[in-house]
Amino acid sequence: MFPLKCLLAWFRPDTTRPLSQVWLAALWMGLLANWPLWRQLHAMPDITPVFIIALAGMVVCATGAVLSLLAWPRLVTVALVLLLLGSGALAYFIGSYGIVFDPTMVTNLVQTDVHETRDLLNWRLLLSVALLGALPALWLLRRPRAPAQAAAKRLGGNLAGFALGIAGMVLLALLQFSTLSSTTRTHKQLRYMVTPLNAVYSLSAAAVRSQRVPAGPPAVIGADARLLPRAEGTKPPLLLLVVGETARAMNFSLNGYPRPTNPELQKLQVLSLRDVTSCGTATAASLPCMFSPLGRTEFLKLEAAQENLLDVLQRAGLAVLWLDNQSGCKGLCDRVPHAFTKDLPDGALPLPPGLCTGRECFDEALLHGLDQRIAALDPERLKRGLVLVMHPMGSHGPAYYKRSPPDLKPFQPECKTNALQHCQREQVINSYDNTIATTDRLLARSIAWLQAQQAHFDTGMLYVSDHGESLGEKGLYLHGMPYAMAPREQTHVPMILWMPEGGTLAASLKPGCLTGLRDKPASHDHLFHTTMGWVGARADAYRPQWDLLAACRR
């Protein structure tokens, strides 16, 4: 009778016991919350139903094994409720946008502000959280408390549950080893789709990574920063550095895109580089990397905070100003003057009507009150030159329709929801292309402002986006894929240069040389050094071979 009673206990578990609860939760989350994974596997022509069933068993066993270690009365309920609610949210985002949840995505999540979070909310997300998370969590909270049990006995049961899960996972993996190894090697993103293990791993990895960063100020770079002497009578440089958001190069008509997304820039003498690669696939990864002198390969090896381009330029004696219409500068502007458009309507610089709605402003607000802001900077530094950085909202999704003003929506009909997968793809592209047209106008008006400063400065502009965007290609939306497996849509970014023909910099370059840069490979690695060379700043961190303009100087 004893074996029969044990067998019946598996089918009718005591749901007051923490160990039973974690295995029921593992079954629920492993099978239901992973529906995006099962859907993707089902769409692969070389994947059999037998393998999908075996993988589902592996996921349940692995989840049950991990959760068995948490099966303690005072811990299990809180842990399972959080995991269930998180699994419901992850299932929606992975299933809707094709994203993966890795440590980089955790960093993005931590640095997302309330406005970006609001853009992601909709009733489909709430429904997913309610059905996959809140419903089983409510059932769990209504369970009576299990009878007291000796700690040693409970520990033994938890370890047995862990061992059982590992054994089941290994057995199933061995039965499908050849298919499993080839599938995970070819489709690496699948490992970050296993919910909630992806969250457990990524949160742990991000926490460990954050603890490695020593406390204290960032390490100094460019301690010998200085300005090259200017010829008598020449004007100080004014470089406008526009760090775009979520713009992909392939949607710029300057780069051959058939739709007229750059009608205003097409009329100006700008140089668009067509083969530029980003440091990362998300703002939190790209911004610190592109402002570093190290280049992507060495930057990824950093284990301590380090100063950036803005610190070096300021140390050289230049005036530096960061203006932000985004979620922040990711720490880059902490030691230089900076301001945010959302803080502009304070009475001192009232914004024109329609430029802001609520606490969000269109990117053109970055140009408002520029003269007053520059006049407030250190006059001695301004005599040496100014680097002005603008960080616009650009093409930030998924609510692309919010990024373009009502009078600048040339491509219709557009997708007017953040649930992109429920719009026709043409509508998604229309709403995205409207954001590119909005960026086009921002850059053209920025150039007009720069032209008005030529009486006092030798002006110029460099625009580059932080990363690209997926618009439904291969079922992917938005950005943030692990770099090694990211599609080109997320890493191929636009870079645009403008300098007046009569300026000092233009006169110092070989005639026609810049045109040769148009199709030459470039990357975010060049930003630090090109900026330093542009404004005539030097330091031991400067590498002339990474200065895009160095080869063109006379």
Side-chain angles (χ1 to χ4, degrees):
M1 288 295 295
F2 180 73
L4 179 60
K5 291 175 65 176
C6 290
L7 183 63
L8 290 174
W10 279 100
F11 291 98
R12 298 182 61 186
D14 181 359
T15 57
T16 65
R17 297 174 57 208
L19 195 58
S20 297
Q21 292 173 358
V22 299
W23 275 94
L24 287 172
L27 189 65
W28 178 276
M29 291 184 288
L31 297 182
L32 299 183
N34 279 290
W35 66 262
L37 176 60
W38 314 138
R39 182 185 66 181
Q40 179 155 336
L41 288 170
H42 179 69
M44 297 178 182
D46 54 339
I47 299 299
T48 65
V50 173
F51 174 75
I52 297 177
I53 293 172
L55 184 60
M58 284 183 255
V59 170
V60 172
C61 287
T63 306
V66 172
L67 295 184
S68 292
L69 301 178
L70 305 177
W72 297 90
R74 295 185 179 181
L75 175 63
V76 66
T77 302
V78 174
L80 290 183
V81 168
L82 291 176
L83 286 173
L84 286 165
L85 294 175
S87 295
L90 283 175
Y92 169 78
F93 287 117
I94 294 173
S96 298
Y97 301 116
I99 66 168
V100 296
F101 196 78
D102 66 337
T104 301
M105 190 62 71
V106 173
T107 304
N108 297 335
L109 183 65
V110 170
Q111 297 185 4
T112 297
D113 67 7
V114 65
H115 301 99
E116 293 177 347
T117 302
R118 187 175 56 198
D119 281 350
L120 295 169
L121 300 178
N122 58 55
W123 67 268
R124 293 179 180 87
L125 168 61
L126 298 179
L127 184 62
S128 179
V129 173
L131 294 180
L132 295 177
L135 190 63
L138 182 61
W139 175 87
L140 179 67
L141 291 170
R142 293 171 63 88
R143 296 301 92 197
R145 181 169 297 182
Q149 190 177 31
K153 186 174 182 180
R154 192 175 297 281
L155 176 61
N158 292 354
L159 292 176
F162 174 79
L164 180 66
I166 296 298
M169 181 186 67
V170 171
L171 178 61
L172 290 170
L174 290 175
L175 292 174
Q176 293 287 323
F177 181 76
S178 60
T179 306
L180 178 65
S181 60
S182 63
T183 301
T184 54
R185 185 168 56 248
T186 306
H187 306 282
K188 296 180 180 179
Q189 74 275 14
L190 295 179
R191 69 189 69 177
Y192 295 113
M193 295 178 65
V194 179
T195 303
L197 295 181
N198 53 2
V200 173
Y201 165 76
S202 298
L203 288 168
S204 302
V208 170
R209 186 183 299 171
S210 67
Q211 293 302 313
R212 291 177 181 170
V213 179
V220 174
I221 62 171
D224 62 334
R226 62 201 181 278
L227 294 176
L228 297 177
R230 292 200 316 269
E232 186 71 26
T234 58
K235 292 174 254 186
L238 191 171
L239 174 62
L240 172 59
L241 187 57
V242 184
V243 183
E245 170 67 34
T246 322
R248 59 190 218 172
M250 59 191 67
N251 285 62
F252 275 58
S253 56
L254 288 171
N255 297 332
Y257 188 56
R259 305 179 102 184
T261 52
N262 303 128
E264 297 198 39
L265 288 177
Q266 294 275 15
K267 304 172 186 175
L268 301 172
Q269 296 296 318
V270 299
L271 174 68
S272 179
L273 306 190
R274 299 177 176 178
D275 190 12
V276 182
T277 304
S278 67
C279 270
T281 62
T283 305
S286 280
L287 268 191
C289 177
M290 64 201 293
F291 278 75
S292 166
L294 299 178
R296 182 177 186 274
T297 302
E298 293 302 316
F299 180 81
L300 293 178
K301 299 176 183 177
L302 272 181
E303 295 186 355
Q306 191 180 75
E307 289 183 344
N308 63 81
L309 172 63
L310 305 184
D311 297 296
V312 178
L313 295 174
Q314 185 166 257
R315 184 172 293 118
L318 293 170
V320 179
L321 175 62
W322 179 290
L323 297 178
D324 206 293
N325 193 36
Q326 252 276 12
S327 58
C329 64
K330 314 305 179 188
L332 295 175
C333 64
D334 290 352
R335 295 169 296 279
V336 302
H338 57 274
F340 296 83
T341 54
K342 60 186 178 183
D343 299 327
L344 287 178
D346 56 3
L349 290 171
L351 289 165
L355 204 53
C356 295
T357 56
R359 296 290 290 171
E360 183 173 322
C361 299
F362 293 115
D363 286 334
E364 198 173 329
L366 290 164
L367 295 170
H368 181 72
L370 264 184
D371 294 337
Q372 298 97 310
R373 291 200 173 277
I374 291 173
L377 298 175
D378 185 340
E380 292 303 314
R381 289 183 174 274
L382 284 174
K383 292 178 182 178
R384 304 185 194 105
L386 166 66
V387 175
L388 171 63
V389 186
M390 289 184 179
H391 188 204
M393 184 66 80
S395 302
H396 197 286
Y400 305 123
Y401 67 100
K402 291 183 178 181
R403 309 285 96 90
S404 55
D407 66 326
L408 191 55
K409 293 182 180 291
F411 307 107
Q412 294 290 337
E414 65 175 359
C415 179
K416 295 186 177 181
T417 174
N418 56 11
L420 302 178
Q421 71 281 8
H422 293 284
C423 286
Q424 294 181 8
R425 188 158 181 268
E426 292 76 11
Q427 295 176 343
V428 174
I429 294 173
N430 285 343
S431 57
Y432 182 83
D433 283 349
N434 286 336
T435 69
I436 301 299
T438 302
T439 296
D440 174 75
R441 186 164 76 178
L442 170 69
L443 296 180
R445 293 187 176 181
S446 297
I447 290 173
W449 176 82
L450 287 170
Q451 290 171 330
Q453 311 304 311
Q454 286 182 263
H456 306 289
F457 293 99
D458 183 37
T459 60
M461 183 194 76
L462 194 161
Y463 164 84
V464 63
S465 183
D466 56 354
H467 55 79
E469 187 86 328
S470 289
L471 298 177
E473 298 87 0
K474 299 178 182 178
L476 297 178
Y477 291 91
L478 304 182
H479 52 268
M481 288 288 288
Y483 197 86
M485 62 188 73
R488 185 158 170 78
E489 289 84 3
Q490 296 188 24
T491 60
H492 184 204
V493 296
M495 180 181 283
I496 298 171
L497 289 72
W498 173 85
M499 60 188 74
E501 290 186 358
T504 304
L505 178 60
S508 70
L509 302 178
K510 301 173 186 176
C513 182
L514 287 181
T515 306
L517 299 177
R518 190 185 307 276
D519 295 305
K520 184 178 179 180
S523 72
H524 280 166
D525 293 355
H526 295 95
L527 180 66
F528 180 102
H529 309 279
T530 301
T531 301
M532 291 278 289
W534 193 315
V535 298
R538 293 295 184 270
D540 56 4
Y542 170 73
R543 301 184 191 179
Q545 67 271 27
W546 281 3
D547 180 349
L548 290 172
L549 303 179
C552 287
R553 293 194 180 95
R554 296 179 188 272

